[in-house]
Amino acid sequence: MVNFEFDLIELDSFPALVTREFFGKQKPDNFAFLDPFFERFEQKFGPNIEQIQLYNGGAARSSLAFVYLNDLTILGVEFTDNPNLTSWFVAMAASFDGSSTHKITSSGLNGSRFSKWDELLQAPASWAQKHAPKSHFKAEFLAEKTKFFAFKSVAPKPGSATHLPTAFQALLNARALQATPPNLTDLDALERAVGVPLPHDFKALYAATGAIKELFYGFDLLSAKEATTQHASWTAIYNDWILEDLQSQQSAEAGIHPVYCTPRWIPFVDLMGGNYLAIDLAPAKNGTYGQVITFGRDVDRKRLIAKNLTDFLQKAATYDGSEKHELYSVLGQLKLS
């Protein structure tokens, strides 16, 4: 990335400082400052601004900004003297951390104290790149996630698929329910969306039935189409987040990756509130391809429920609501964390 000069920007008729009471103290009104500020930036650079990082130079230097556009362009901005703008900078710096030099972003939140002016002025392009928003490092973050998960296309062994019909029928009998018609077209679409072979017992289940309401004591078996929709939503989160975000505050039992989500977890039982039982097609070390796990919005600790789908159905068929049953914490009181 080549270095660049900062373009001068004049902010004529910038609004005067406005304060409001906040916990008994007068604080600068962020919205009264940021709204006209970003309105002027959009007038100059267009509507495709992703983020602005604004640096207050204090009394000794001109204030600077980096403008990050959606097309990954980075622009440098230097402000001409403006008494009202200076008043805002001073007031906002004092209200945040007492620093005469600080950073705010387009979200209106105060950032880290900014003190390395020499480094910025010597190499502004390098500084701008280093402090760019996460979206500017998509290729790097994707490579980091790919290396961590080491996703592979695994050819699942037939394993317990031959026992699935018996386990499934036992569950239907226990619940006094009937199988619903399957949709093999939707099952094929799910496998294409996941991009790797589905376990044989999973395919056998969806070749035998579609969605079944409250199959698991109040919780629904998703249809293949519903599973595809949910899989797409979680994949979008995975694609948008960096590895550090995916790992934040997450833990897991042995054999499961301690992350928020991956594209290789297929939701198939709706535990409500954005939480699911899933087929794990990206097991961690000592895990099993096709194991059944918990994951979801409120599931910070991923749990192993069964070594495969057939094993889970066999357990579900014997579940009677007893607190002593191993599925009670999932199907009884939904103790997912």
Side-chain angles (χ1 to χ4, degrees):
M1 180 178 176
V2 298
N3 249 330
F4 56 82
E5 299 293 332
F6 287 91
D7 293 331
L8 284 173
I9 285 188
E10 294 184 8
L11 294 177
D12 295 330
S13 66
F14 197 81
L17 175 65
V18 177
T19 62
R20 60 184 178 88
E21 185 174 342
F22 187 75
F23 289 105
K25 295 182 180 180
Q26 289 295 317
K27 298 280 188 177
D29 188 332
N30 283 357
F31 292 107
F33 167 71
L34 292 172
D35 288 348
F37 181 83
F38 294 122
E39 179 182 341
R40 285 158 174 76
F41 266 68
E42 286 190 347
Q43 290 173 352
K44 182 172 181 62
F45 299 113
N48 296 319
I49 297 175
E50 178 181 7
Q51 187 177 45
I52 301 172
Q53 293 180 359
L54 173 64
Y55 297 94
N56 172 24
R61 303 175 178 86
S62 298
S63 296
L64 306 175
F66 292 121
V67 182
Y68 298 91
L69 304 182
N70 291 329
D71 65 359
L72 306 187
T73 300
I74 304 176
L75 307 174
V77 174
E78 180 179 358
F79 301 99
T80 57
D81 291 336
N82 183 295
N84 283 351
L85 183 60
T86 300
S87 296
W88 276 101
F89 282 151
V90 171
M92 294 181 74
S95 71
F96 286 128
D97 59 8
S99 170
S100 62
T101 57
H102 72 289
K103 179 181 73 175
I104 63 174
T105 69
S106 55
S107 64
L109 302 177
N110 187 53
S112 58
R113 180 166 178 165
F114 181 71
S115 58
K116 298 181 179 179
W117 279 93
D118 292 341
E119 182 180 338
L120 184 152
L121 296 177
Q122 289 173 6
S126 298
W127 182 272
Q129 181 72 6
K130 179 180 178 180
H131 294 83
K134 295 175 182 178
S135 60
H136 283 234
F137 300 97
K138 286 183 178 180
E140 292 86 344
F141 290 147
L142 177 59
E144 183 182 45
K145 288 187 289 188
T146 301
K147 181 179 180 181
F148 174 80
F149 288 105
F151 286 149
K152 298 177 182 178
S153 180
V154 178
K157 299 178 180 179
S160 60
T162 54
H163 302 292
L164 184 132
T166 301
F168 178 50
Q169 189 60 51
L171 176 58
L172 290 176
N173 294 340
R175 299 288 295 127
L177 295 171
Q178 295 292 323
T180 55
N183 188 318
L184 298 182
T185 300
D186 289 344
L187 179 60
D188 291 341
L190 174 60
E191 187 165 46
R192 288 195 300 272
V194 176
V196 293
L198 299 175
H200 289 280
D201 55 0
F202 186 84
K203 296 180 73 172
L205 173 64
Y206 280 94
T209 190
I212 301 181
K213 297 295 183 182
E214 300 190 0
L215 175 62
F216 301 103
Y217 295 83
F219 305 121
D220 300 342
L221 173 69
L222 297 177
S223 69
K225 186 175 183 180
E226 289 169 334
T228 302
T229 299
Q230 290 301 326
H231 174 265
S233 297
W234 288 102
T235 298
I237 294 174
Y238 171 87
N239 290 338
D240 189 51
W241 289 18
I242 64 173
L243 181 60
E244 181 181 356
D245 293 338
L246 292 169
Q247 293 175 311
S248 177
Q249 299 181 341
Q250 302 297 306
S251 62
E253 293 181 354
I256 308 172
H257 283 300
V259 294
Y260 187 61
C261 64
T262 92
R264 299 291 177 85
W265 291 349
I266 307 176
F268 76 100
V269 176
D270 185 358
L271 297 178
M272 299 187 297
N275 305 303
Y276 300 89
L277 291 182
I279 301 297
D280 183 2
L281 305 186
K285 185 178 180 181
N286 297 324
T288 303
Y289 193 88
Q291 62 193 8
V292 178
I293 66 170
T294 59
F295 93 106
R297 186 182 65 182
D298 305 313
V299 188
D300 292 336
R301 179 169 177 77
K302 278 56 184 177
R303 292 173 48 198
L304 178 66
I305 304 302
K307 60 183 179 181
N308 54 52
L309 180 58
T310 300
D311 182 40
F312 171 68
L313 295 180
Q314 290 171 338
K315 292 178 180 180
T318 64
Y319 177 66
D320 58 2
S322 170
E323 294 184 15
K324 296 181 179 180
H325 196 280
E326 59 184 308
L327 292 184
Y328 177 76
S329 62
V330 178
L331 303 181
Q333 293 190 342
L334 202 61
K335 297 177 181 178
L336 293 171
S337 59

